[in-house]
């Protein structure tokens, strides 16, 4: 297994891991909250997947709400911040249709892996 670290912007790196026979998995690393917001902004310009755009914008609102209690946009992505976002998403789940709830759940499950302790 080999790793290649590619700078996307000054504070976002994408690590591409070579898996078996050409399978690739992209692992993003965000330096701070500002980098995560930039990633969300870039999705709008580059991704035509409606589910990803919906989930990222919905979750971004909850991240912004939670982050205001933890610091400014230079803060790192912590487990405490992720836990607070998870709690807020859980409280708001009745606003969503079952299908949208599943989209948000899956997107958040993947995204919260980038929040560290």
């Amino acid at each position: 297994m080999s790793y290649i670290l590619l700078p996307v912007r000054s504070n976002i790196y994408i690590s591409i891991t070579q898996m078996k026979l050409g399978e690739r998995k992209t692992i993003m690393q965000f330096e701070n909250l500002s980098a995560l917001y930039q990633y969300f902004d870039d999705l709008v310009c580059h991704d035509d997947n409606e589910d990803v755009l919906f989930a990222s914008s919905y979750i971004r609102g909850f991240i912004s709400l939670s982050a205001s209690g933890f610091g400014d946009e230079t803060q790192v992505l912590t487990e405490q911040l992720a836990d607070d976002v998870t709690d807020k998403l859980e409280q708001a789940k009745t606003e969503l249709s079952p299908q949208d709830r599943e989209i948000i759940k899956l997107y958040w499950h993947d995204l919260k892996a980038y929040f560290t302790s």
Side-chain angles (χ1 to χ4, degrees), residues 6 12 20 24 28 40 42 44 47 75 84 97 116:
L6 303 171
I12 303 175
K20 344 177 213 175
R24 290 182 145 187
M28 295 168 292
F40 288 147
D42 290 345
V44 174
D47 195 6
Q75 68 180 293
D84 195 62
S97 70
T116 60

Side-chain angles (χ1 to χ4, degrees), residues 25-42:
K25 181 178 180 183
T26 301
I27 303 169
M28 295 168 292
Q29 298 173 338
F30 303 103
E31 183 177 294
N32 56 29
L33 190 59
S34 181
L36 178 60
Y37 288 162
Q38 184 61 55
Y39 169 74
F40 288 147
D41 292 344
D42 290 345

